[in-house]
Amino acid sequence: MTERVELGIEGMTCASCVARVERALRKQPGVDQVSVNLATERATVSFEPGAATVGNLLDAIRKAGYEPAIAEATIGVSGMTCASCVARVERRVGKLAGILDVSVNLSTEKAHVRYLPGMAGPAEIREAIRQAGYEPVEATAQSEEAPNHTESRALKRSLILAAALAIPVFAIAMLTLASGTRHLMTSLMPATAWSWLELVLVTPVQFVAGWRFYRGGWAELRHFSPGMNSLVMLGSNAAYFYSLVALVAPGLFPSGTAQTYFDSAGVIVTLILLGRYLEAVAKGRTSQAIRSLIRLQARSARVVRDGEEREVPIEEVQVPDIVQVRPGERIPVDGEVIGGTSFVDESMITGEPVPVAKNAGDPVVGGTVNGNGSLRFRATSVGADTVLSQIIRMVESAQAEKPRIQAVADRVAGVFVPLVMAAALVTFFAWLFAGPGAALSLAFVTGVSVLLIACPCAMGLATPTAVMVGTGKGAEMGVLFRRGTALETLAGIDTVVMDKTGTLTRGRPELTDFEVAGSIGRAAALRLVAAAEADSEHPVAEAIVRGARGQGVELPAAQGFSAEPGYGIEATVEGHRVHVGADRYMDRLAVDVTPLAGRAAALAREAKTPLYAAVDGQLAAVIAVADPPKEESRDTVTTLHALGLKVAMVTGDNQATADAVAAQLGIDRVLAEVLPGQKAEEVQRLQGEGARVAFVGDGINDAPALTRADVGIAIGTGTDIAIESADVVLMRGDLTGIINAISLARRTLRTIHMNFVWAYGYNVLLIPIAAGVLYPFSGYLLNPMLAAGAMSISSLFVLTNSLRLRRFRSEARPNAGASRQAGSVAAAQEA
């Protein structure tokens, strides 16, 4: 039996492209037929499902040099209450043809789906959600209002109604049972009349305030996938209808068992509603960070059009509109200053409280606040392309992704509720046939208690709430987790590999030494070398040129410039062929560097980078440049050691220079003389030795290593954060963000583990107690009302425990001195 799929393909331009894609797909095991259409840019493939997968076909298209068309959709899901709801939606949507993966987040109440266009689409996904028993809604992430605000208000109304009626029912039941007040109550009305009053009061609680449980519970049972609503519906209905029959027809019950539990039915619904309402409020707080970011967006902008200023909605600003910002106003979009001077508060991007001076030519970022001056700037990014929108999108993406630990929990929760229902039935019949005295009452109480106490709400909330708060807190601290799984992976790394230039060092080398050999004079050699380097964009070349000009050297034009990454450059200057580069470059050119090798070694021991220059094939000079470490580099390495991590440095410098820098900073391992393209190989080699590696680089030339590492950490700048290769982006330019990221990741994972210990431990401990294991020894039987309350408390514990992450603080600060290091270490260890 074969399966047929249609795959969109981007990038095909001719018949040879079609042939290449067809060959790549036919090579896959299990593929029966392949037809690629250039006009429609689609491939139709028939394959044996057991031998091939859609994922293999997509990989084959990528390896052929083309990109398969994959679409994504985020759809809100209304009505989910627990982890079994999540599992049900994922199963139903995942069964659709063309669905690659689906991730449902209980906390955000959203489904994120990747699918093949043409085989599936948003309409089919929404219908699958409806078939699962839930209602698809528009995902309104870009809103200041909490997504569950409407649900909170509805729950509040139901809770007020339930409490207003259930409290009198509970009071009546307690007063008629208590020996001190029983006579007073029966003197006012017979006991049966009080029971009828309880019935009148509790019925609206059951069928009006508690109607949501009927609606959700029947949908769950109809789709053979019971969840929280099913458990509450069955538990409260058992108490209500048992009591109703006992009141109307007591003769049907064995002697001593015709008791009413109207108070239990009413209080169960009220307590569950209370728990749901408090959950909704707490879940709203978990997304507070993202709403705070959204509130930074301006509502309108003052745009100069046709020589006049006019205020327009922010959505109507276009590139390259001229925007005027007055003192104290929020800058609406990203742009470049063309007029005026001011100081701008960029703390929401950089975290630095000191305003930044802005003059003509300087960039400004939407969402930051203008100071006392007036600015006019040209819009360069608007809408979804602004830095603030990118930050919001990154945080939302990380919150939508499901860590591995949550995927396991969801699979468990998918079978948990049916097992609980089976356990409740076993408990009921065990007490019914083996219980002492009024066995029916014992069977009823224990069966209902098991149903109510074992709801998997806490399991479903354990991970997403912690991830939401953790990623939101990270954004506040300038740490952007681009993927939710990065939190889990970063918490488990044991080795941090850092690129030297621009990461550990300032990234602006300075010319420190220039010594000549042979007959050429120093001034002439420097003039030729600096002229040859003038066309290079490498930081070392810029340092040489800057140093020569600083000494008053005028540079002639160079011709025939070429550069070989990792080796050096060559150019023709005033008829001389000039080569500048590392010793390996000189070896390739057969230039003897022996006369200056000793001096080069001495410079390397001083943590300087030695280079050689050759003119017309003869050794001319040894050059040294030094890139001083950032002020916080040593403190950061020390703190990483305190966290139990090994620190390695990768650099293209020679071994002696690299060792000198490592000695200054206290680095454990040095990977020197590594070409730019070899950084990923060095990371892979460390992983082969069993290390779990986080690579820290600038996110541009380090892209392969960032991708290869278990976690890639890119040190970006506030205005250039969209670095696709990294899992974590540090918006600020200092290394203390690494400490914050690792400490926060560890704290978040510890919170998730604590949530799971509570959620599962709670069930493991209390289900037997609800089933009555203590009754033979102590006579204690868990009341269904207490079971309902305990279930709500378990979910609230998970939520409040996750919200504690909002108080996470790190003592690490930019340019922290050694005197403050003890505080940083203590905070990091605590996290």
Side-chain angles (χ1 to χ4, degrees), residues 74-80 86 103-112 137-141 145-149 279-280 282-284 286-288 290-291 395-402 460-461 463-469 471 799:
T74 300
I75 299 173
V77 184
S78 175
M80 296 190 300
V86 170
S103 175
V104 178
N105 189 309
L106 176 63
S107 189
T108 60
E109 297 181 343
K110 293 176 188 174
H112 185 74
V137 295
E138 192 68 27
T140 55
E145 186 146 8
N148 57 351
H149 185 65
E279 280 179 32
K283 283 199 291 186
T286 63
S287 57
Q288 184 174 350
I290 201 85
R291 294 198 305 277
V395 176
E396 288 178 339
S397 176
Q399 291 178 348
E401 191 172 355
K402 188 174 296 186
L461 294 169
T463 297
T465 52
V467 169
M468 285 184 69
V469 181
T471 52
L799 283 161

Side-chain angles (χ1 to χ4, degrees), residues 7 21 59 95 179 248 256 325 362 537 626 648 656 736 781 793 796 823 826:
L7 308 174
V21 173
D59 288 340
K95 288 179 180 178
S179 58
V248 175
V325 183
D362 291 334
E537 296 180 353
T736 53
L781 210 59
I793 290 172
L796 292 175

Side-chain angles (χ1 to χ4, degrees), residues 213-477:
F213 302 120
Y214 284 91
R215 186 175 61 245
W218 280 119
E220 292 169 357
L221 295 176
R222 190 169 63 250
H223 294 92
F224 304 102
S225 185
M228 171 192 169
N229 291 310
S230 305
L231 296 178
V232 176
M233 181 184 71
L234 292 174
S236 62
N237 270 271
Y240 179 85
F241 286 105
Y242 183 100
S243 304
L244 179 61
V245 176
L247 178 62
V248 175
L252 297 177
F253 291 82
S255 177
T257 61
Q259 302 176 21
T260 59
Y261 296 93
F262 289 122
D263 57 324
S264 292
V267 173
I268 284 169
V269 171
T270 304
L271 287 175
I272 301 298
L273 285 171
L274 174 62
R276 288 278 299 275
Y277 172 68
L278 294 176
E279 280 179 32
V281 173
K283 283 199 291 186
R285 290 176 182 165
T286 63
S287 57
Q288 184 174 350
I290 201 85
R291 294 198 305 277
S292 297
L293 288 172
I294 293 170
R295 277 195 288 269
L296 294 175
Q297 295 175 317
R299 295 286 176 271
S300 61
R302 193 172 293 102
V303 178
V304 180
R305 291 178 180 168
D306 301 326
E308 296 182 358
E309 289 185 13
R310 61 182 69 174
E311 191 155 335
V312 301
I314 192 69
E315 296 82 8
E316 295 182 12
V317 180
Q318 301 176 353
V319 178
D321 277 342
I322 304 302
V323 182
Q324 182 75 36
V325 183
R326 295 172 181 172
E329 290 184 338
R330 192 174 296 278
I331 294 173
V333 296
D334 298 355
E336 180 179 329
V337 177
I338 59 173
T341 60
S342 185
F343 285 85
V344 175
D345 179 2
E346 295 186 337
S347 57
M348 74 100 175
I349 295 291
T350 65
E352 296 297 326
V354 179
V356 180
K358 296 295 180 181
N359 300 288
D362 291 334
V364 289
V365 180
T368 57
V369 180
N370 186 28
N372 295 326
S374 180
L375 289 176
R376 180 171 290 201
F377 68 90
R378 180 182 296 106
T380 56
S381 297
V382 298
D385 296 328
T386 63
V387 168
L388 184 57
S389 294
Q390 291 175 39
I391 294 172
I392 294 170
R393 199 159 55 244
M394 283 187 186
V395 176
E396 288 178 339
S397 176
Q399 291 178 348
E401 191 172 355
K402 188 174 296 186
R404 289 185 295 271
I405 188 172
Q406 178 65 24
V408 174
D410 285 349
R411 285 198 295 270
V412 173
V415 299
F416 185 78
V417 173
L419 292 176
V420 167
M421 296 175 71
L425 285 174
V426 171
T427 299
F428 177 83
F429 286 110
W431 280 106
L432 183 63
F433 294 114
L440 181 60
S441 293
L442 291 173
F444 167 75
V445 170
T446 53
V448 171
S449 294
V450 169
L451 280 175
L452 293 173
I453 206 161
C455 182
C457 300
M459 301 177 196
L461 294 169
T463 297
T465 52
V467 169
M468 285 184 69
V469 181
T471 52
K473 186 62 184 179
E476 291 178 11
M477 302 173 70

Side-chain angles (χ1 to χ4, degrees), residues 609-630:
T609 301
L611 300 170
Y612 294 100
V615 177
D616 297 328
Q618 300 296 316
L619 181 66
V622 63
I623 309 160
V625 295
D627 184 9
K630 294 178 179 177

Side-chain angles (χ1 to χ4, degrees), residues 107 285-290 293 394-396 398-399 403 461-484 486-488 490 728 740-752 755 799 801-809:
S107 189
R285 290 176 182 165
T286 63
S287 57
Q288 184 174 350
I290 201 85
L293 288 172
M394 283 187 186
V395 176
E396 288 178 339
Q399 291 178 348
L461 294 169
T463 297
T465 52
V467 169
M468 285 184 69
V469 181
T471 52
K473 186 62 184 179
E476 291 178 11
M477 302 173 70
V479 177
L480 294 181
F481 292 92
R482 294 188 64 246
R483 297 167 51 228
L487 274 166
E488 185 177 6
L490 184 59
V728 181
N740 293 340
I742 295 172
S743 300
L744 181 59
R746 289 184 174 184
R747 178 76 169 271
T748 303
L749 188 63
R750 191 176 72 181
T751 299
I752 292 172
N755 287 347
L799 283 161
N801 190 47
S802 296
L803 286 170
R804 289 171 60 237
L805 285 168
R806 291 170 59 189
R807 299 198 300 268
F808 174 84
R809 295 289 183 272

